[in-house]
Amino acid sequence: MSFWDNLKDKVAGMNASLQTSVSKFKNAEFANGCMAMCALIASADGSISGQEKGKIATLISVNETLKIFPAAELKTKFDFFCDKLTADYDFGRIEAIQAIGKLKSKPDQARAVIQIGIIIGGADGNFDDDEKKAVKAACAAVGIAPSDFDL
């Protein structure tokens, strides 16, 4: 089995796992962490294009895991983190990582945010090194080994 086929299988498993337990994650910290993770993936190459932002916004709106939140609320949070990353990438990255790090004491939610990052990163068929680096930084923020996700 190729790396890509293996990744697709794992992403499908992650998505199914998230959907069965996500209702207990309906809180502001989880929503912030998810949108911070999505913004980190969007900016993984150092910038966020309008097209890239639109694609991720679309993925957010159709992701079964995130349907527990109002779409407008998620868009506002996503735009907030994207704006921070666009205005000053380094400080925006720190702020996004801090938002994710707030889930460190909630391992199930922290893992779900990491899984969402992997799902969003691989959605275009190319989970590139920059996206993996962003997910690894998020793993470090919540104290989860990247190897738990084969990164």
Side-chain angles (χ1 to χ4, degrees), residues 18 23 28 51 104 116 147:
L18 284 173
S23 62
Q51 181 183 19
K104 188 173 187 172
I116 286 170
S147 59

Side-chain angles (χ1 to χ4, degrees), residues 1-13 125:
M1 178 178 283
S2 74
F3 170 77
W4 179 242
D5 289 335
N6 192 22
L7 178 63
K8 285 195 299 189
D9 290 345
K10 287 182 183 196
V11 165

Side-chain angles (χ1 to χ4, degrees), residues 8 31 39-40 46 54 57 79 88 108 137:
K8 285 195 299 189
L40 282 175
D79 288 344
D88 186 319
D108 289 348

Side-chain angles (χ1 to χ4, degrees), residues 12-142:
M14 285 179 196
N15 220 2
S17 171
L18 284 173
Q19 289 174 26
T20 60
S21 61
V22 78
S23 62
K24 64 183 176 183
F25 297 164
K26 192 170 184 177
N27 62 70
E29 283 184 344
F30 181 68
N32 284 336
C34 288
M35 294 306 96
M37 182 79 254
C38 290
L40 282 175
I41 295 297
S43 68
D45 64 358
S47 66
I48 305 172
S49 71
Q51 181 183 19
E52 192 170 34
K53 194 174 175 181
K55 283 182 184 179
I56 291 183
T58 300
L59 288 169
I60 290 167
S61 69
V62 299
N63 184 285
E64 290 296 322
T65 305
L66 297 173
K67 285 187 177 182
I68 61 171
F69 298 104
E73 176 185 323
L74 292 179
K75 182 180 181 335
T76 299
K77 291 176 187 295
F78 177 64
D79 288 344
F80 169 82
F81 287 108
C82 286
D83 291 346
K84 292 285 187 172
L85 286 156
T86 301
D88 186 319
Y89 181 77
D90 292 330
F91 283 115
R93 186 177 178 281
I94 290 167
E95 192 161 347
I97 293 293
Q98 286 176 335
I100 295 165
K102 289 181 180 179
L103 296 171
K104 188 173 187 172
S105 65
K106 302 172 184 175
D108 289 348
Q109 292 180 36
R111 285 188 172 283
V113 167
I114 301 302
Q115 291 172 339
I116 286 170
I118 293 168
I119 290 165
I120 297 293
D124 65 356
N126 181 29
F127 189 40
D128 66 40
D129 289 339
D130 291 329
E131 292 165 336
K132 288 177 186 175
K133 185 178 174 184
V135 172
K136 287 178 183 179
C139 285
V142 294

